[in-house]
Amino acid sequence: MRLSTKHLLGIKELSAEDISLILSTAQQFKEVLQRPVKKVPSLRDVTIVNLFYENSTRTRISFELAEKRLGADTINFSASASSVSKGETLLDTVNNILSMKVDMVVMRHSASGAPHFLAKHLPETAIVNAGDGINEHPTQALLDAFSITEKLGSLEGKKILLIGDIMHSRVALSNIYLLNKMGAQVMLSGPPTLIPPNIKEAMGVQVEYNLKKALQWCDVANVLRIQLERQNQVLFSSLREYNLSYGVTKKLLAEVDKDIVVMHPGPINRGVEIDSDVADSHQSIILQQVENGVAVRMAVLYLLAGKANNN
Ligand code: CP
């Protein structure tokens, strides 16, 4: 089977069949990663540039590891240490890199739509979105879906709660697209100022502003980071107040008295959206999400490279 798309720009552009194919391929790569020799030569002649215009720990390391596990040649580019600081444009930068015979570009950018811009101007090169502004973070949603499936057996019919800064979260948008396509039920909870007012109708999700009620409803709680760097106005009174109303605490989970699976895409603001004793508890699968990110990104790169080679 092949993906229906040449690039991975967002979950919005994927079909349910594409998502199932990525998740089943990731399962095979997860098995490879359990072996003493964790490498396969699938992308031996493929060169991939990791183009990061915004900071990252998990996504960047995970993509690089995925590329190395597949035998690809990798180049890492940080905007802060490049000629971008001398005024070079995104398109000039990428055209210069591609002239050195690069096959795929993995890009993170603070501007929503930056990978779509590249895909439009460079249709022959596979572009992978590693997070663009407040738009999408497709591989995060895929690894979240993989981790939920691993824990609960499937996505169909499962009740997934996204908590917090929905307004500025590319993780939330990609998760909503994916969970809707795969038949899960989605609820959002957080301060009304951080949840877009028309999202219920626009995205077919439920909204519950009372966090305790929302937790009582769900099977999985995916706790999102407060994106202070993307907020240009004050949308809640203080981080302390936020923690009191929307922080996922041990006390709150004890009151709910249900074995909810707790997730977080990272980086965690401990003591703000989640307390340490929840993040590090038996209910948390935060580090399994990170581990699964490598297999999921191997699957994405493998499937996109196969598609590119066969066109
Ligand atoms: N989840 C995530 O995107 O983390 P990084 O910003 O560290 O890549």
Side-chain angles (χ1 to χ4, degrees):
M1 274 180 73
R2 302 249 186 93
L3 290 179
S4 66
T5 169
K6 185 179 172 100
H7 311 285
L8 178 61
L9 300 178
I11 301 294
K12 188 179 182 182
E13 290 85 12
L14 296 184
S15 65
E17 290 72 29
D18 288 328
I19 294 166
S20 296
L21 176 60
I22 294 169
L23 298 182
S24 61
T25 308
Q27 183 55 46
Q28 291 169 26
F29 282 124
K30 178 139 189 187
E31 284 157 27
V32 169
L33 293 173
Q34 312 299 322
R35 295 181 198 153
V37 178
K38 299 174 178 59
K39 284 184 88 160
V40 285
S42 314
L43 298 191
R44 199 170 41 202
D45 297 320
V46 176
T47 304
I48 304 174
V49 61
N50 300 312
L51 203 60
F52 277 69
Y53 279 79
E54 198 189 63
N55 293 344
S56 167
T57 298
R58 280 145 292 271
T59 312
R60 183 175 181 149
I61 292 174
S62 182
F63 265 113
E64 191 178 346
L65 205 49
E67 291 153 9
K68 288 188 187 325
R69 299 286 193 228
L70 289 166
D73 293 320
T74 67
I75 304 162
N76 290 309
F77 168 96
S78 285
S80 57
S82 74
S83 290
V84 169
S85 60
K86 300 173 197 162
E88 193 164 37
T89 66
L90 173 60
L91 197 53
D92 279 342
T93 301
V94 176
N95 269 326
N96 276 273
I97 292 169
L98 293 182
S99 71
M100 295 182 242
K101 306 287 176 247
V102 168
D103 303 296
M104 298 175 84
V105 175
V106 174
M107 188 171 74
R108 169 167 289 191
H109 205 290
S110 58
S112 300
H116 306 71
F117 171 82
L118 273 197
K120 193 172 155 206
H121 286 87
L122 307 166
E124 297 309 316
T125 308
I127 310 290
V128 183
N129 182 358
D132 66 318
I134 59 167
N135 182 39
E136 282 223 43
H137 192 348
T139 56
Q140 181 67 47
L142 287 161
L143 75 87
D144 289 346
F146 186 93
S147 304
I148 295 169
T149 308
E150 193 173 58
K151 190 76 185 170
L152 300 181
S154 70
L155 292 169
E156 176 87 42
K158 298 297 180 301
K159 296 176 177 173
I160 316 296
L161 173 65
L162 301 171
I163 306 168
D165 186 358
I166 308 297
M167 180 96 78
H168 302 96
S169 174
R170 55 196 177 204
V171 175
L173 191 58
S174 285
N175 261 273
I176 293 169
Y177 281 131
L178 188 149
L179 294 167
N180 278 344
K181 285 175 198 249
M182 301 308 283
Q185 300 177 60
V186 182
M187 182 181 279
L188 311 176
S189 187
T193 48
L194 291 178
I195 298 183
N198 61 344
I199 198 161
K200 257 167 126 171
E201 298 74 26
M203 302 293 294
V205 295
Q206 302 177 60
V207 175
E208 171 56 67
Y209 297 114
N210 182 309
L211 180 57
K212 190 169 164 185
K213 283 189 190 166
L215 286 167
Q216 269 157 346
W217 171 87
C218 74
D219 301 312
V220 176
N222 197 346
V223 187
L224 304 174
R225 183 172 70 88
I226 294 292
Q227 312 248 330
L228 290 172
E229 75 277 20
R230 299 193 208 282
Q231 296 182 18
N232 49 19
Q233 54 183 312
V234 179
L235 294 169
F236 53 92
S237 48
S238 70
L239 293 178
R240 176 81 192 123
E241 291 284 333
Y242 183 88
N243 181 254
L244 286 173
S245 302
Y246 288 101
V248 178
T249 63
K250 195 147 192 159
K251 181 170 170 287
L252 186 58
L253 288 182
E255 285 171 21
V256 171
D257 196 22
K258 190 177 171 191
D259 210 17
I260 296 163
V261 177
V262 175
M263 303 173 70
H264 193 303
I268 298 173
N269 291 315
R270 290 176 182 260
V272 180
E273 71 268 4
I274 190 168
D275 282 1
S276 281
D277 50 12
V278 175
D280 303 329
S281 72
H282 76 280
Q283 286 175 263
S284 161
I285 60 164
I286 294 171
L287 290 179
Q288 284 100 307
Q289 289 173 261
V290 178
E291 180 188 343
N292 290 333
V294 179
V296 166
R297 290 177 174 120
M298 285 172 81
V300 165
L301 296 168
Y302 171 79
L303 290 167
L304 287 177
K307 177 80 180 166
N309 289 343
N310 290 320
N311 266 349

